[in-house]
């Protein structure tokens, strides 16, 4: 009988403890958070104010009502981040935000509302505003990109990947206002690629072949420009003696 009584008492105390713990968690979740309750990890580049300025987050707000998925999307888009993870925390109380920044591999310029915006480009072709870039990587940049637009992300990424696998060395990528693509290679000089972005991989293969061929006889020193707008009929213009 005493044994059964002890079991009942333990069960009772367990239920009481569980009730108070659950109640405490519920009360914590309903507690309002403020800007000082935001904890950011993964980068020292962004502050609590950056989170607020670049999202729809308003304070004070109850922790349970924070739309974490929406906040992740807003911060990823507005701060040019590679990835964002947002979670509500009871102990310690607050909003935990972990960010993964993008690594710039090229200097970049874009035009928005007739205003030139300076920034950087990552390997995926994503534009990073200057204020959102990690400065420790900027002294290694050797490529410039002018005329960036959202629709050029894929083609830029293909150029960057090709440069890793091929022998050529692109130093400038320019998109005209109407989308005409021009490259500048260290030895081959100006290369016109045109509007047909679906041909980019074939054009890059030709650039690599020309680079290897001309390297054998130093012919590249005589080149003014190369026209690959029709990759099946390359045109090479040389300097006149």
């Amino acid at each position: 009988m005493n044994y059964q009584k002890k079991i009942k008492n333990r069960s009772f105390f367990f239920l009481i403890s569980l009730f108070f713990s659950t109640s405490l968690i519920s009360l914590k979740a309903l507690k309002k958070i403020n800007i000082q309750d935001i904890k950011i990890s993964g980068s020292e580049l962004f502050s609590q104010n950056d989170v607020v300025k670049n999202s729809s987050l308003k304070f004070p707000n109850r922790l349970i009502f924070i739309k974490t998925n929406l906040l992740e999307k807003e911060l990823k888009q507005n701060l040019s981040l590679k990835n964002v993870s947002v979670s509500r925390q009871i102990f310690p109380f607050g909003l935990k935000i972990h960010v993964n920044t993008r690594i710039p591999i090229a200097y970049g310029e874009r035009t928005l509302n007739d205003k030139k915006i300076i920034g950087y480009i990552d390997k995926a072709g994503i534009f990073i505003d200057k204020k959102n870039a990690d400065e420790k990587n900027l002294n290694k940049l050797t490529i410039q990109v002018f005329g960036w637009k959202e629709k050029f992300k894929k083609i830029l990424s293909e150029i960057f990947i090709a440069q890793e696998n091929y022998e050529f060395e692109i130093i400038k990528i320019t998109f005209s206002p109407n989308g005409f693509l021009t490259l500048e290679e260290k030895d081959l000089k100006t290369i016109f690629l045109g509007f047909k972005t679906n041909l980019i991989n074939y054009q890059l293969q030709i650039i690599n072949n020309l680079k290897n061929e001309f390297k054998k006889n130093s012919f590249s020193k005589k080149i003014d420009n190369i026209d690959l707008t029709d990759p099946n009929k390359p045109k090479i213009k040389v300097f006149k003696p």
Side-chain angles (χ1 to χ4, degrees), residues 169-174 182-186 188-191:
E169 187 176 341
I170 302 298
I171 57 177
K172 186 187 292 186
I173 303 170
T174 304
T182 304
L183 304 184
E184 186 173 329
E185 203 274 337
K186 183 179 180 182
L188 300 180
K189 312 298 188 300
T190 302
I191 306 171

Side-chain angles (χ1 to χ4, degrees), residues 2-161:
N2 288 337
Y3 177 75
Q4 290 180 344
K5 188 176 181 180
K6 287 181 180 179
I7 293 295
K8 287 182 180 180
N9 287 338
R10 287 177 182 176
S11 298
F12 175 76
F13 285 121
F14 173 76
L15 291 173
I16 291 295
S17 300
L18 182 61
F19 171 78
F20 281 112
S21 297
T22 304
S23 299
L24 180 60
I25 291 173
S26 299
L27 288 173
K28 277 278 189 178
L30 288 171
K31 184 181 175 182
K32 291 182 178 180
I33 68 167
N34 286 286
I35 190 168
Q36 64 268 21
D37 297 313
I38 297 175
K39 304 295 185 292
I40 304 170
S41 62
S43 174
E44 298 179 356
L45 191 62
F46 304 106
S47 67
Q48 296 163 324
N49 284 327
D50 291 323
V51 170
V52 176
K53 289 178 182 178
N54 291 278
S55 71
S56 57
L57 203 56
K58 303 294 181 184
F59 295 107
N61 198 351
R62 298 191 188 280
L63 181 64
I64 196 171
F65 294 146
I66 299 296
K67 298 177 181 178
T68 56
N69 289 338
L70 174 61
L71 185 55
E72 289 172 352
K73 291 178 181 178
E74 290 175 332
L75 295 178
K76 185 176 181 179
Q77 175 68 31
N78 297 333
L79 296 178
S80 309
L81 295 169
K82 186 175 183 179
N83 198 24
V84 185
S85 175
V86 179
S87 58
R88 307 182 195 91
Q89 283 194 329
I90 303 299
F91 303 105
F93 178 79
L95 197 64
K96 183 178 180 181
I97 301 176
H98 183 80
V99 301
N100 291 325
T101 56
R102 295 185 180 278
I103 300 175
I105 66 169
Y107 168 88
E109 289 184 8
R110 63 181 296 197
T111 301
L112 185 63
N113 299 326
D114 296 324
K115 181 181 178 182
K116 183 175 75 172
I117 298 175
I118 294 175
Y120 305 94
I121 315 292
D122 79 340
K123 189 176 179 179
I126 304 294
F127 189 89
I128 309 166
D129 281 350
K130 186 177 181 179
K131 64 180 181 296
N132 297 331
D134 193 341
E135 294 184 358
K136 66 183 179 183
N137 298 302
L138 303 184
N139 59 346
K140 303 174 183 178
L141 306 183
T142 59
I143 306 173
Q144 296 177 309
V145 178
F146 298 95
W148 183 94
K149 290 182 180 178
E150 188 81 18
K151 63 182 179 180
F152 299 142
K153 291 186 301 183
K154 185 175 184 295
I155 193 170
L156 281 170
S157 180
E158 290 173 339
I159 293 171
F160 295 146
I161 292 171

